[in-house]
Each structure stands twice: as structure tokens, then as C-alpha cells.
Amino acid sequence: QQLNAMFRFYCGFSHSGSKASAIGGNTATMSMHEYNHFISSTNLFNLVTEGERLEYIFSQVNREKTDHPAGDVELLRHEFLECIVRLALVKWGEEKTASEKVRIVLEKYIKPRWQQLQDDEVRQNLAKPTVQALLQRQLPSLLVVYKHYASQDMGTGSGRSRSTARPTMNIGEFCELMTDSALLDATQRDSRSSKAVEAEEQEEEGGEIWLCAQEARMAFAKSQSDQDSTKEDLSEMIFAEFVEALARVAVDKWEVPS
């Protein structure tokens, strides 16, 4: 049951063009991007140093035949479970029996991550079917925004960018997005577009809604994988973390006073 729930959670961030989006937003398949996010957040392997091996396992497990590029091939639920077994087998080599390896992966890596998801209210709500359906409808637009801001420092080439072959977003780019979209309060922004000012004025007609720069930075930090440890990991976020950060911004900006 926990594995099924985790599978649905990590499959909830498919981008436009994936099969999950094509069949109406069902969280039924896992892309390479989502597979990497699962491995990184459970701390099973280091994506930077073990990226090629992990990609090989993903390709070997996926039994589908497709004319699409390799990046569009996705895992079904039973293939995801097979991936977990294969990952367990390669992690310790011949040191332990197969059953011991799988048990350790489940108890030491996957179960703690499941508990972290259960303890976090935002992540709990993100996993709800109604929220997943809402996100699936908006993911194509979110991905365009993410790529626009995340691509601004592609020349620096962080470790996470290399490991996923996709741009990652740093705190500066995230805060710039918050500024451009008028999500930060007036006192927190140095410059605003005319659209941002207009949006803020319309919002203030219904009363002040506060979001400070510190809350935006905290949303960025809390959305990072709990197992990120290197400087590059902690300063950049991938698309799935970006979606979570937006949810945290929404909760902070429109929180109900106690």
C-alpha cells in the first residue's frame, strides 16, 4: 500500500507529452525525470555519480516498445516495483542475500521517506487526487514558466542539471518569478512590471494578503529533497520541487489566520 501511494505521488509531476498527461491526468506511469526524483529523495543513489547506471536500470526494466525518444518511455507500476528490486540488488553487490537487500531498501530508504511525506501537510495535500487532477491540467503552463526562469543560469552547469539533463532553478530565479508574478508584497520588491502592479492593486481591493521574501525563500528550502546534501543540490531545485514550492507559496500567501 505504501509503495503504491509513493508511486502515485512521484508520478504526479508528469509534463506535457507524457502518457500520464495524454490519458487525462492519471498518475499511472513514471517518467525518467520522476524516477530520478524518487531515487534522489529517498537517498538510494547519488544521481551525479551513478546517473548512467540508474538510467540503464530504468531502460532495462521498461519493456515497452515505442517510437518516441527514450525520455518519453515511462514505467508502469509493476515495472517500478521491479526497479526497486534491481536497485537493491546493485547497491550492495554480493555482500547480502537478495531478500536482505530488498528489505534494507524498504526499511532504511523508502519507509523513512514515506513517513516524511505523511508528516508534511503540504505534501499530503499534493498527493490528493483532486489536487493531482488540478496540477495535471496546469503542468504544461507551469513547465513553460519553469524552463524560462530555470534556463537563465544554464551556463553555470550545476551538478543536478548535469545529472538530469534538464535546467534547474536556483533561489534567485525563483524569487525573480515571485517578483514578476506579483506574489511578493510591495515592500519586498524593488521593481515591478505594470502588470504586477495592476495585479497587486486588484488584490488589495479585497484586503491585504502578505507574503514576504523570507517566506518565499522558506518555500524554496522546504521543497528541496530531504536528502539533498551537496551545495549544488541545496541551491537548485528540479521541476517536481518547483511545483511543491508553488504550493507552499500559495499556502503561506493565503493562509487562514488562527
Side-chain angles (χ1 to χ4, degrees), residues 44 88 91-92 96-112:
L44 263 173
K91 189 167 182 65
W92 287 278
K96 305 178 186 298
T97 66
S99 60
E100 288 176 332
K101 295 173 185 178
V102 174
R103 178 180 58 80
I104 293 173
V105 164
L106 294 176
E107 294 182 356
K108 184 178 179 179
Y109 296 91
I110 295 180
K111 187 176 181 180

Side-chain angles (χ1 to χ4, degrees), residues 174-202:
F174 182 71
C175 286
E176 182 177 353
L177 168 60
M178 296 296 99
T179 299
D180 292 348
S181 54
L183 284 167
L184 289 181
D185 298 311
T187 57
Q188 304 293 327
R189 300 194 294 271
D190 296 328
S191 61
R192 295 168 289 161
S193 65
S194 58
K195 290 185 178 180
V197 174
E198 180 180 355
E200 179 185 283
E201 290 174 348
Q202 291 175 352

